[in-house]
Amino acid sequence: MGDFNLALVIVAIVVCVIVFLVNVYLLVNYQHPDDVNQAYFPKFVVVLGLSVAAISILMLPADVANRQACRHAIYNGACNLTLPMKDLWLAVYIIDAILVFFIIPFAMFYYEGDQDKSIGKRIKSALCWVVTTAIVCALVLGILYGVVGKVDFTVRHLSSSTSSFPSSWGLSSGQQCVGSGAHQCSAYSASPSSEKTWTMRSTFPEYVVALATIVGSVLFAIFGGVGIACLPLGLIFSFIRRPKAVITRSQYIKEATELGKKAKELKKAAEALHQEERSGAKGRKYRKNVKEVEKELFQLEEDVKLLEEMYPQGEKAETTWALTVLGYLAKLVFGILGLIVSVAWVAHIIIYLLIDPPLSPFLNEVFIKLDDVWGLLGTAAFAFFCFYLLLAVIAGATMLGLRLVFITIHPMKWGATLMNSFLFNVGLILLCSISVIQFCSTAFAYYAQATAAQEIFGHTLESLRGIKYLYKYNVFQIAFVVLAGLTFVYYAAFGWRRKKPSGRFQLST
């Protein structure tokens, strides 16, 4: 057991170091050239946020491995666990909530502040927004915790008498209790009147985690349901819409000229919007025009990228074209594999969560059998399915952001991602990571049983007063499956089309 404990601690430390280095690598390679050698505080927040999100998802497989330290004990309290997982869960998610609701908004307000203002005024403006948010959040949390911050557990009142230790028990289905008399000692055969409600007050950290999970669950059900379908189908249809051959130079000049005209129009529109902003005209029409310009700019960048793919230039033009073809083939392969994973996820939700009693443990049983083949194989597959859900959330947010006016576009691009886009996506990942863990701990309850995550997300959260009904009636799971089905139909019918923006701006100047 000592060797197992030491190995688990070493693996946990190594994984944390690797996660940190990977996130630094992503920051360095995704950042915009304008942010090089500046914006150090937002960069620190980005690396910290990504590390917390990744570690929180990896903590569930670690929780399962930590449980193995007590697999020979009669009950979990009969031995000392290697890692204090419950304390670690609460610490990670309190940090998560602080980052999402305070640190990241402050960094975004500061970064997006008027560059003409001094640093002091920008900090003051950002602090005003964050302090106001903190006061409102503290009041709401305090009132809710004081009024409904209790957990209602449904239990059965069972009883039995005592008797001298017999030579043979003689218990059977007809005689389930020790001794004589009218007793109820079997939860399965007890009358409905034996059900009682055991009420206790939850701890404040658990309540904060629960409310953050509810907020994240709403976003997760929407973005995750859409993304679980559009993530693989987007890759597949990207292969279908790929450029089939290299265009001629005359075609390239014609297309480049049209894109140049489009860029000039966008520049004029952006300058007009900047003038509106300085004049203080930030009404509904202004926000709508900003959204339209963002969509047009995003589409223009995609058109430029596609044109460069269709007409590679330079001494290694043939090599570039070959790599482009291989890239689209890779998208097809990953799209097909992703489609298999998405179908497996939706099937598992229906079979194991929505049907009562479950038809089969399905993926739970797969993970257990993989663990029998090799100790960490099932855990690795378990972690992969959790990460895939997070990728689906990001894909869904990107897809809806291109189509809905009230969602701001913050695309992630290699070597061209501004810090505000980084911060927005990190906040989204952090907020949804809590719900991904809660969703996975419920979906894989059979595999992740008797873990600290089960205690927090399975028992306390699903019994919290006023919130438990959302989980009792599987509201989020049903919304997830319905949106996944609708997105699949939509994408299959219209996803192959390349939508062009209208190009119309209702500028007031």
Side-chain angles (χ1 to χ4, degrees), residues 57 60 220 345 348 352-353 364 367 382-383 385-390 433-448 454:
I57 292 179
L60 190 51
F220 169 75
W345 251 118
H348 179 76
Y352 187 72
L353 294 179
N364 289 283
F367 298 151
F382 179 44
F385 270 80
C386 293
F387 264 109
Y388 186 83
L389 268 190
L390 201 59
S433 64
I434 304 178
S435 302
V436 168
I437 295 300
Q438 189 276 330
F439 194 85
C440 289
S441 65
T442 303
F444 303 127
Y446 184 65
Y447 179 71
Q454 274 284 308

Side-chain angles (χ1 to χ4, degrees), residues 248-267:
T248 62
R249 181 174 177 79
S250 59
Q251 290 176 313
Y252 172 78
I253 294 174
K254 179 181 178 181
E255 293 293 335
T257 303
E258 292 296 323
L259 291 178
K261 293 179 180 178
K262 186 69 174 178
K264 290 181 179 179
E265 294 177 4
L266 281 175
K267 183 179 179 181

Side-chain angles (χ1 to χ4, degrees), residues 1-13 82-83:
M1 189 64 66
D3 294 338
F4 178 85
N5 293 347
L6 180 61
L8 184 57
V9 172
I10 292 174
V11 168
I13 294 174
T82 303
L83 300 173

Side-chain angles (χ1 to χ4, degrees), residues 82-99:
T82 303
L83 300 173
M85 291 306 301
K86 186 173 181 180
D87 294 334
L88 290 175
W89 276 119
L90 293 176
V92 165
Y93 285 117
I94 291 298
I95 294 173
D96 190 308
I98 293 174
L99 283 171

Side-chain angles (χ1 to χ4, degrees), residues 33-262:
D34 293 345
D35 289 327
V36 175
N37 297 324
Q38 59 179 337
Y40 292 109
F41 177 70
K43 290 178 182 178
F44 170 77
V45 174
V46 165
V47 173
L48 177 62
L50 288 175
S51 299
V52 170
I55 290 172
S56 65
I57 292 179
L58 291 173
M59 277 177 63
L60 190 51
D63 202 351
V64 174
N66 192 56
R67 183 194 60 192
Q68 300 300 318
C70 289
R71 58 183 173 181
H72 298 301
I74 297 176
Y75 61 97
N76 281 345
C79 73
N80 294 321
L81 293 169
T82 303
L83 300 173
M85 291 306 301
K86 186 173 181 180
D87 294 334
L88 290 175
W89 276 119
L90 293 176
V92 165
Y93 285 117
I94 291 298
I95 294 173
D96 190 308
I98 293 174
L99 283 171
V100 169
F101 297 107
F102 302 110
I103 304 299
I104 290 179
F106 172 79
M108 289 189 68
F109 286 132
Y110 175 77
Y111 181 84
E112 295 179 345
D114 192 344
Q115 300 296 323
D116 295 335
K117 294 182 179 179
S118 64
I119 294 178
K121 290 184 178 180
R122 290 166 63 188
I123 294 177
K124 182 179 178 180
S125 176
L127 281 175
C128 288
W129 282 101
V130 173
V131 169
T132 303
T133 304
I135 294 173
V136 173
C137 288
L139 289 174
V140 172
L141 285 174
I143 293 172
L144 288 176
Y145 181 71
V147 177
V148 292
K150 297 180 180 179
V151 182
D152 297 324
F153 294 107
T154 301
V155 298
R156 288 187 181 274
H157 181 76
L158 305 177
S159 63
S160 180
S161 63
T162 60
S163 178
S164 301
F165 201 86
S167 57
S168 62
W169 291 100
L171 298 176
S172 63
S173 59
Q175 177 62 31
Q176 299 175 341
C177 300
V178 175
S180 59
H183 297 286
Q184 295 185 94
C185 58
S186 173
Y188 292 99
S189 60
S191 64
S193 61
S194 66
E195 281 196 0
K196 306 291 182 181
T197 300
W198 179 34
T199 301
M200 61 179 293
R201 182 168 290 279
S202 66
T203 64
F204 187 72
E206 287 181 342
Y207 193 73
V208 172
V209 171
L211 291 185
T213 303
I214 294 299
V215 176
S217 294
V218 174
L219 297 176
F220 169 75
I222 298 172
F223 295 145
V226 172
I228 201 76
C230 76
L231 177 59
L233 292 178
L235 293 173
I236 293 173
F237 283 115
S238 178
F239 172 80
I240 295 175
R241 297 193 302 261
R242 73 191 187 282
K244 304 298 190 298
V246 178
I247 62 175
T248 62
R249 181 174 177 79
S250 59
Q251 290 176 313
Y252 172 78
I253 294 174
K254 179 181 178 181
E255 293 293 335
T257 303
E258 292 296 323
L259 291 178
K261 293 179 180 178
K262 186 69 174 178

Side-chain angles (χ1 to χ4, degrees), residues 387-427:
F387 264 109
Y388 186 83
L389 268 190
L390 201 59
L391 292 176
V393 169
I394 298 172
T398 301
M399 178 184 177
L400 292 178
L402 295 175
R403 289 162 174 80
L404 301 180
V405 175
F406 57 85
I407 298 180
T408 305
I409 301 174
H410 288 279
M412 298 284 291
K413 292 188 177 182
W414 188 269
T417 305
L418 293 171
M419 279 301 112
N420 60 339
S421 295
F422 244 129
L423 291 167
F424 175 85
N425 285 285
V426 169

